Amino acid sequence: MRPFVSFLRILIVIAVVDLLVVFGLARLELSGTLQAALGALLVAGLTAPFLYFWVVKDMARHLSELSSARASRLKFRALMDTVAEAAVFVDAEGRIRHVNRQTERIFGFERTELINQPIEMLVPKRFREAHVGFRDRYIADPHPIPQGIGRELVGLRRDGSEFPMELSLSPVEADSEVAVLALVTDISRRRHMEAAAAEELKEPVGS
């Protein structure tokens, strides 16, 4: 129930009860002071049950919903922290809504530094304008993109260093809007091993 509607209902009940009490006490022909005191007690006693059911009950239900939502968020966070890749949830406006622990480790940011920030803060400046265009096109036509599809991407760490990465994208419906789950894998080690292997192949036989 909306707070304004609940407030109006309470006012109506109090007004109706007050009128009934005043009408009833007027017929008893009591003194003004006694009538006012008795009227206040009757109004308070008769409206108390409504106040309890409409205010206390609503508040308890609201607190219960908040507690359940918080528990769900904690479970979701714990689940995402078990994912091997860096997991980043981005809304339709391109703002980061959730990251897991692996994201903090790979990019060097604290979780609180990333929430509500544009996803482009994890992209080198020279690629940001192009990334915005890609993001807008993806939101207009959301579809799964597995890792390893398309060009190699570059991520930006908090310290300003860059690293090669692979990215997968999955559209997720959140609050009737399209959000995106991005899974990021740091492939620096793989690239280093590939470069080392290539150097070995260049060495002349018997050297």
Side-chain angles (χ1 to χ4, degrees), residues 93-149:
E93 301 300 322
R95 295 198 171 272
I96 300 171
R97 293 307 180 191
H98 177 76
V99 299
N100 65 351
R101 187 175 292 120
Q102 187 71 347
T103 303
E104 295 178 298
R105 191 189 70 78
I106 290 179
F107 287 94
F109 287 94
E110 295 291 334
R111 194 171 314 204
T112 53
E113 295 178 287
L114 293 173
I115 301 303
N116 294 325
Q117 296 300 316
I119 187 62
E120 281 73 30
M121 72 181 298
L122 302 179
V123 178
K125 289 184 179 180
R126 64 186 182 279
F127 298 132
R128 288 178 183 175
E129 185 176 350
H131 187 272
V132 171
F134 170 78
R135 173 167 54 79
D136 290 342
R137 290 191 297 273
Y138 183 84
I139 292 298
D141 180 27
H143 56 281
I145 299 179
Q147 284 194 355
I149 300 298

Side-chain angles (χ1 to χ4, degrees), residues 84-86 106 147 163-168 183-188 190:
E85 297 89 352
I106 290 179
Q147 284 194 355
F163 65 96
M165 68 181 195
E166 286 186 347
L167 175 72
S168 70
L183 296 180
V184 177
T185 301
D186 183 349
I187 58 173
S188 300
R190 185 200 307 172

